[in-house]
Amino acid sequence: MQEALVVRRETHIQAPRAAVFALLTDPEKILRWMGTQADTKAEPGGLYLVNVTGARFARGSFREVVPVHRLAYSFGWEGSEIVPPGSSLIEIDLIEQPPGTLLRLTQTGLPNSEQCAGHAEGWAHYLQRLGQVASGRDPGPDPWLGRDGSSSS
């Protein structure tokens, strides 16, 4: 695997791991920080489906679920030939780091540096919103609603 084709993000969230884990796995809670529709079943083989911006569904399946510690799920975009559903892998580790949680995200399996840059930008945007919600703040309306990213599909 080429190191250049790996997206890595770390953020410290002012909330306990259990709260962050719920915001990553519970469909109703996911919608507080990302997306317009969500259907998830957080168990190995379970569905991960989120309409991220109201214009585009991300689809995959959970590979590993260790409550409050770790998630791994396949990820891709419905209708995309470049990053089709399930074609990349997202791994999220939640590390207790008082006074909150260190979220460490790694995404692998993206086909090129353009896709890595686009997904890195997306994760930076949405992890910031996740952190706001987890710490009890309202991130406000998502300015990315309606974006379909078709120029990089």
Side-chain angles (χ1 to χ4, degrees):
M1 172 184 348
Q2 292 180 306
E3 186 63 26
L5 298 181
V6 176
V7 174
R8 294 184 197 283
R9 284 278 175 247
E10 277 192 8
T11 188
H12 190 270
I13 298 174
Q14 300 292 323
R17 287 184 300 183
V20 177
F21 187 84
L23 284 164
L24 291 166
T25 56
D26 180 308
E28 290 180 21
K29 292 180 179 175
I30 289 169
L31 296 179
R32 293 182 191 169
W33 59 278
M34 176 178 70
T36 60
Q37 294 172 269
D39 185 5
T40 61
K41 189 169 186 176
E43 62 183 44
L47 177 67
Y48 177 89
L49 180 68
V50 178
N51 189 340
V52 175
T53 63
R56 202 152 188 228
F57 278 94
R59 177 185 287 273
S61 62
F62 286 93
R63 304 270 178 88
E64 185 178 0
V65 179
V66 181
V68 312
H69 295 282
R70 181 172 166 79
L71 288 171
Y73 55 93
S74 63
F75 180 94
W77 300 100
E78 287 190 347
S80 171
E81 293 180 16
I82 298 173
V83 184
S87 64
S88 71
L89 179 66
I90 294 171
E91 297 172 277
I92 298 173
D93 291 296
L94 302 175
I95 300 147
E96 189 172 344
Q97 191 176 73
T101 301
L102 176 66
L103 183 151
R104 184 174 291 147
L105 178 143
T106 305
Q107 185 173 9
T108 55
L110 292 168
N112 57 49
S113 58
E114 179 186 15
Q115 287 298 318
C116 286
H119 283 82
E121 178 187 18
W123 281 117
H125 173 76
Y126 284 109
L127 290 178
Q128 178 184 28
R129 291 177 60 82
L130 170 65
Q132 290 172 325
V133 170
S135 63
R137 298 190 312 272
D138 181 354
D142 184 355
W144 285 20
L145 283 182
R147 284 177 63 163
D148 69 2
S150 59
S151 64
S152 60
S153 63

